[in-house]
C-alpha cells in the first residue's frame, strides 16, 4: 500500500532520547547538541529520500518545543501521529523512565501486530555503546540497523557524528535509516492513532515505584487571598493554579515544573506550600514563590507554611525559586521591593544556604528564563540531598554507585 497524493505524512519519525541533567556549577541545563545535529541530519536525509520536495518538518523531537508549551500534550500527540519511532539507545536511555514511557506509548499503537510490523515502525539507533547484556523491548537490537558497519556497532552513532574520520560511515547509516523510515511510512503507513496520555504509561524498561522522590511546592496567593489591589488574574482557587505568565503559559507553572523534573527522571508530586508538610523531610524540592505573598496584608497561612518548608536539615535540599513576570505592569513596577521583601523572609527562615538558593531568591522574570533555570534548580536540590542527608548516606552505605533515587 502506498499513501495517496505522493506527499505522505507530515511526521515521518519521532526521535526519542535521554535528557541530560545539568552538571555541578552549570548555570543552565545543557542541550545535547549532537542530538540536535542528528535530528536535522536525519530530517534532511528523509527529505532526500522522498520523491517530492518536502519543505515542511518531516520529523519531531522535543527540542522543537518552546517554553510554555504543554509538553506532555504535544509529545503525546506526536507519538500518536509519527509513522516511525527512532529511539537513541544508550545506557542512560534505558535507565530513565521518561523515554521508557515514550516507547510504551508508541508501542501501544502496534499492539496485536506482527513482529515484522513492530520492527518496521520502531527503528532503534545505537547512540552510545551498550553492554551485550542490555535487553531492549520486543527483542529489538539497535546494532542491527547497520551490522556491516563495525565502527557503528562498536562506537555508536554519536561518536561517528562527532569524529570527522567517521563521516562517511555516519552518512551511510543516516541514509540507511532515512530510507527505512520513508519505506515504512509510505508503503506500510499506520496513520494517526488516538493514544492515551503519556502520563498513563509506565516505562517499557522497568517497573516504576509509586512514591515520589521529588516535590514541587507552590507558595502563591489564591483569588481569595491575593493582596488588596493586586490583579487576581494569575491566580486560581488553590495556590497550585498559579499562572504568572498568562497566555504564554499553556500549563500551570507547577505542572511545567513537574514535567521538567520528570524528564530528568524524578517521580514528582505537586503540592501547595501548606500541604507540603506531609512530605518526608528527606524529599528534595523546589518551591515556586510568588513574591506578592510577602506583601503587607498577604496570606499569613502561606507565609507560615513557606517558612516551615525550610525547617531543620531539609532547608539544604529545598530550594526557593521566585517568579515574577516582567510583562506584568504591577510586578515590573514593584519588582525590586517585592524581591527584597521576599529575600528577607527567606533569610529569616534560613533558606539561603547555598548559591543555588540565593540565585533562586533573585528570581526569574520570563517563561524562557524559568525554563532555563528550573532544570538546574531541580538537579541542585538532588545534589544537596545526596551531599548532606544522613538518610541517603545510610541507604547507600552497603554499595556505592547509586544516584540517590533508590531511597524510596
Amino acid at each position: 500500500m502506498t499513501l495517496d497524493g505522493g506527499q505522505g505524512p507530515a511526521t515521518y519519525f519521532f526521535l526519542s532520547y535521554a535528557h541530560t541533567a545539568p552538571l555541578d556549577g552549570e548555570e543552565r541545563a545543557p542541550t545535547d547538541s549532537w542530538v540536535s545535529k542528528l535530528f536535522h541530519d536525519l530530517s534532511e536525509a528523509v527529505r532526500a529520500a522522498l520523491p517530492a520536495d518536502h519543505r515542511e518538518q518531516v520529523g519531531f523531537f522535543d527540542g522543537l518545543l518552546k517554553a510554555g508549551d504543554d509538553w506532555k500534550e504535544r509529545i503525546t500527540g506526536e507519538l500518536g501521529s509519527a509513522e516511525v519511532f527512532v529511539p537513541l539507545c544508550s545506557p542512560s536511555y534505558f535507565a530513565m523512565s521518561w523515554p521508557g514511557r515514550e516507547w510504551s506509548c508508541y508501542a501501544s499503537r502496534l499492539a496485536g501486530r506482527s513482529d515484522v510490523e513492530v520492527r518496521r515502525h520502531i527503528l532503534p539507533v545505537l547512540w552510545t555503546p551498550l553492554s551485550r547484556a542490555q535487553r531492549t523491548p520486543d527483542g529489538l537490537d539497535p546494532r542491527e540497523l547497520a551490522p556491516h558497519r563495525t565502527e557503528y556497532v562498536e562506537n555508536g552513532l554519536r561518536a561517528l557524528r562527532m569524529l570527522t574520520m567517521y563521516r562517511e560511515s555516519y552518512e551511510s547509516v543516516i541514509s540507511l535509516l532515512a530510507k527505512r523510515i520513508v519505506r515504512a511510512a509510505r508503503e506500510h503507513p499506520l496513520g494517526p492513532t488516538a493514544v492515551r496520555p503519556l502520563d498513563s504509561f509506565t516505562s517499557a524498561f522497568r517497573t516504576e515505584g509509586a512514591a515520589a522522590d521529588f516535590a514541587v511546592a507552590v507558595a502563591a496567593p489564591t483569588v481569595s487571598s491575593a493582596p488588596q489591589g493586586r490583579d487576581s488574574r494569575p491566580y486560581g482557587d488553590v495556590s497550585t493554579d498559579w499562572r504568572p505568565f498568562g497566555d504564554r503559559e499553556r500549563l500551570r507553572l507547577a505542572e511545567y515544573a513537574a514535567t521538567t523534573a520528570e524528564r530528568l527522571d524524578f517521580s514528582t508530586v505537586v503540592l501547595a506550600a501548606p500541604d507540603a508538610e506531609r512530605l518526608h523531610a528527606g524529599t528534595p524540592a523546589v518551591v515556586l514563590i510568588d513574591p506578592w505573598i510577602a506583601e503587607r496584608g498577604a496570606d499569613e497561612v502561606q507565609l507560615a507554611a513557606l517558612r516551615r518548608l525550610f525547617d531543620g536539615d531539609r532547608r539544604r535540599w529545598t530550594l526557593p525559586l521566585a517568579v515574577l513576570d516582567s510583562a506584568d505592569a504591577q510586578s515590573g513596577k514593584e519588582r525590586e521591593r517585592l524581591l527584597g521583601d521576599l529575600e528577607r523572609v527567606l533569610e529569616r527562615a534560613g533558606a539561603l544556604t547555598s548559591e543555588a538558593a540565593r540565585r533562586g531568591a533573585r528570581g526569574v522574570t520570563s517563561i524562557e528564563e524559568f525554563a532555563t533555570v528550573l532544570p538546574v534548580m531541580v538537579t541542585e536540590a538532588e545534589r544537596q540531598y545526596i551531599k548532606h542527608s544522613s538518610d541517603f548516606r545510610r541507604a547507600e552505605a552497603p554499595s556505592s554507585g547509586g544516584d540517590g533515587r533508590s531511597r524510596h
Side-chain angles (χ1 to χ4, degrees), residues 214-328:
F214 197 87
V216 174
V218 181
T222 63
V223 169
S224 61
S225 68
Q228 186 174 6
R230 169 64 174 143
D231 185 349
S232 64
R233 284 179 295 179
Y235 309 118
D237 294 333
V238 293
S239 296
T240 52
D241 287 338
W242 180 39
R243 293 174 184 260
F245 301 111
D247 293 341
R248 286 159 291 154
E249 189 179 355
R250 292 281 307 277
L251 294 173
R252 297 177 301 166
L253 195 69
E255 292 176 308
Y256 189 102
T259 300
T260 298
E262 288 167 8
R263 292 170 80 195
L264 294 171
D265 207 35
F266 292 98
S267 173
T268 307
V269 63
V270 173
L271 296 165
D275 298 326
E277 294 177 12
R278 301 199 305 261
L279 287 173
H280 185 277
T283 303
V286 168
V287 188
L288 308 179
I289 308 172
D290 183 353
W292 283 95
I293 69 167
E295 180 74 343
R296 288 183 296 275
D299 188 338
E300 289 299 327
V301 173
Q302 288 277 356
L303 271 178
L306 176 63
R307 296 185 188 103
R308 288 195 296 272
L309 282 172
F310 301 100
D311 285 346
D313 287 342
R314 70 189 304 164
R315 69 186 55 173
R316 294 182 177 274
W317 48 83
T318 300
L319 297 181
L321 180 57
V323 181
L324 281 174
D325 181 11
S326 60
D328 177 340

Side-chain angles (χ1 to χ4, degrees), residues 367-388:
I367 186 66
E368 292 78 16
E369 187 181 9
F370 179 76
T372 297
V373 170
L374 184 62
V376 179
M377 301 293 285
V378 170
T379 306
E380 185 60 25
E382 172 76 352
R383 278 198 197 100
Q384 292 299 320
Y385 174 82
I386 291 172
K387 182 177 180 180
H388 295 291

Side-chain angles (χ1 to χ4, degrees), residues 66 90 97 99 119 122 130 132 138 169 179 186-187 193 216 234 237 240 271 321 330 336 338 361 371-372 394:
K66 298 178 181 178
S90 64
S97 65
R119 291 175 178 274
I122 300 180
L130 300 172
R132 286 289 171 180
D138 302 307
S169 295
K179 289 174 182 176
R186 298 183 67 82
E187 298 179 10
T193 309
V216 174
D237 294 333
T240 52
L271 296 165
L321 180 57
Q330 281 185 311
E336 294 301 325
L338 290 168
T372 297
R394 283 195 296 270

